[in-house]
Amino acid sequence: MFILYAIAIGLLVGLLVGGRPAGLADLTLRWPWLMVVGLLVQVALFSTPVTDRIGALGPPLYVASTALVLAAIWMNRRIPGMLIVAIGAGCNLSAIVANGGFMPADPATMAALGKGDPTTYSNSAIVADPALRPLTDIFVLPEWLPFANVFSVGDILIGLGVAVVIVVAMRRSVSSTDLQAGHPA
């Protein structure tokens, strides 16, 4: 849910710097279906009916779906901001792979949210001494925020990259409209 804040911030900053939401319609993604498939697998994978039954298939499915999304992001790395998203997704995938198909969550950050170790498969797992600890879920959004959760450096980079993609796309709309109308940007 961290990404929802990035989208909202990107839209707000885009508007504040004079961008237009119409610019988002001009954004052309390569292989968008791959991104959608990977994200849909994750949505299904972490829904209660599936997590209760997935068992040992959870970690490899999580790694594979994350790799699919990263591949699609990489195919779009020329879009301003998308390389930042790719680096963040790569950080997350590295931490997930290094920890057996789970994103380790710091016990203190989970406790701050009033959460314990999940009893069924989850993308997060409390791990006392995880591999690549700096890339794991070591931060927590304040409880008073909607969708408060733990997050990682990779999530921060993904969020920053998404916001940049949105702002630049919104600003490009202004630039191309002004140039077509004969006004300098």
Side-chain angles (χ1 to χ4, degrees):
M1 293 303 178
F2 191 80
I3 193 108
L4 294 177
Y5 288 107
I7 292 169
I9 290 167
L11 290 169
L12 179 63
V13 171
L15 290 171
L16 289 174
V17 297
R20 296 188 180 117
L24 296 171
D26 295 333
L27 197 57
T28 303
L29 296 174
R30 295 175 65 200
W31 295 19
W33 56 270
L34 192 60
M35 227 180 284
V36 171
V37 167
L39 292 172
L40 286 176
V41 167
Q42 289 184 9
V43 167
L45 188 59
F46 302 120
S47 65
T48 303
V50 176
T51 59
D52 290 345
R53 293 175 183 81
I54 199 69
L57 287 176
L61 287 173
Y62 185 36
V63 168
S65 63
T66 303
L68 283 177
V69 173
L70 178 55
I73 291 167
W74 185 252
M75 294 303 299
N76 291 285
R77 67 188 177 278
R78 288 192 173 85
I79 296 172
M82 202 61 91
L83 190 55
I84 300 169
V85 176
I87 293 167
C91 288
N92 284 352
L93 182 59
S94 297
I96 292 164
V97 169
N99 288 284
F102 296 90
M103 173 57 93
D106 183 77
T109 59
M110 291 296 274
L113 287 175
K115 294 182 178 181
D117 206 4
T119 56
T120 60
Y121 181 71
S122 172
N123 62 323
S124 292
I126 294 178
V127 178
D129 191 24
L132 302 177
R133 185 184 190 294
L135 300 181
T136 65
D137 286 342
I138 56 175
F139 305 107
V140 63
L141 286 171
E143 241 183 290
W144 53 267
L145 280 173
F147 312 116
N149 205 347
V150 294
F151 60 99
S152 66
V153 168
D155 295 330
I156 293 168
L157 290 170
I158 291 167
L160 175 64
V162 166
V164 169
V165 168
I166 292 169
V167 171
V168 171
M170 290 174 70
R171 288 292 299 155
R172 282 198 175 155
S173 173
V174 171
S175 298
S176 62
T177 302
D178 288 342
L179 291 175
Q180 289 171 1
H183 303 289

